[in-house]
Structures are given as C-alpha cells and as structure tokens.
Amino acid sequence: MEAGPRDTERERRDAAEGTSGLSPDGPDEQEVLTDEVEVELRPQRRLRIWQLAPIVALAAIGSLMFAFPLAFGTGDGGAVVAMLGLLISCCAAGWGVMAARRVGHTWPGLPVRGSGERPDWRVIALYVGVGTVLVALAVWRVARLR
C-alpha cells in the first residue's frame, strides 16, 4: 500500500527518458516541469471594513465639528467645538496610520518595516514640517474665532 497518490505519468516519462530531470546544476533545460504551483498560505494583509469604518466615521464627525464653527463663526462655543473636532480628526488620522502600519503599509519615502534600511532624515523632516504647518494654521484659525 502506498501512503499517498503518485504522479505515475511523470515517472513513466522519466523512466522512458532514463533521466530524473535533475542534474547537479539544477533542473535540465530540455524539460521544465510545470506541475507544481506555489500558493501563499497566509492571507493577504489588507485593511478590512471593520477596521476602516470607525476610522472613517470619526474622521467625518471630527472634520464636520471642525469645519462648521470655522465656516459659519457660531457664537461663543465655536472655538471649543472646533478644537474638539480637530482633536477627533487627529485621533482618527493616528488610528488610521497605526492600522495601516499593522498590515504592512508605510509612508511614501520611508522603508518597509523589517527591511533593515534606515529612513532618510530629509523625508522625516518634511513630514514633521508639513504636520507642524497644518497644526499651526488650524490653531491660528480657531484662535481668530475669539
């Protein structure tokens, strides 16, 4: 009894040719067998809907809370609501960045996690500079509501 199925057709071909299809340098060039197929066993890492839904909802609520007091200049509480909306939007953005990093995505210009490469300091400085300018403009606009 045999432990499993065999490829008897390939065995017959090899026996008829008198070679096993392999040489010390690798497979023979005359016959390339395409019977084997590589299949990735792990599922593809990507963001799922249950990860994206709360991030998108928080970002939408936060941006609306930030935008309406700034656009329409509502009363005394407008600055507080706008700052709270900015805080919620920033939290949603941070949550989204961490979820994307967890599935293997990186920021443009930065190396892939685990690659052993060091990030370029100019790219990091650019990201910090753009973030600082955006936060400064948002705080300045909210401060002008008073």
Side-chain angles (χ1 to χ4, degrees):
M1 292 186 130
E2 296 179 18
R6 290 182 140 178
D7 189 1
T8 56
E9 186 176 325
R10 185 190 310 173
E11 288 177 1
R12 283 190 212 127
R13 282 189 308 213
D14 290 343
E17 293 176 5
T19 63
S20 66
L22 294 176
S23 67
D25 297 330
D28 288 339
E29 294 180 13
Q30 62 181 339
E31 178 183 347
V32 177
L33 300 175
T34 59
D35 296 344
E36 297 177 13
V37 177
E38 278 190 41
V39 177
E40 181 68 33
L41 296 177
R42 294 178 294 168
Q44 186 179 11
R45 298 179 79 183
R46 59 182 162 176
L47 290 173
R48 306 276 189 242
I49 189 70
W50 60 269
Q51 291 171 312
L52 288 175
I55 297 169
V56 170
L58 274 179
I61 291 169
S63 62
L64 288 175
M65 286 176 67
F66 180 65
F68 274 101
L70 296 179
F72 301 115
T74 59
D76 295 333
V80 174
V81 173
M83 286 304 287
L84 183 61
L86 179 64
L87 178 66
I88 292 173
S89 296
C90 290
C91 289
W95 192 0
V97 167
M98 293 309 293
R101 181 182 167 111
R102 189 144 200 207
V103 297
H105 297 298
T106 60
W107 287 83
L110 296 179
V112 177
R113 188 176 181 185
S115 68
E117 297 178 36
R118 293 181 55 98
D120 187 14
W121 66 269
R122 292 173 290 205
V123 174
I124 294 174
L126 177 70
Y127 283 131
V128 169
V130 167
T132 303
V133 166
L134 290 176
V135 169
L137 287 174
V139 170
W140 178 62
R141 177 63 179 116
V142 170
R144 286 187 54 206
L145 285 178
R146 289 188 163 221

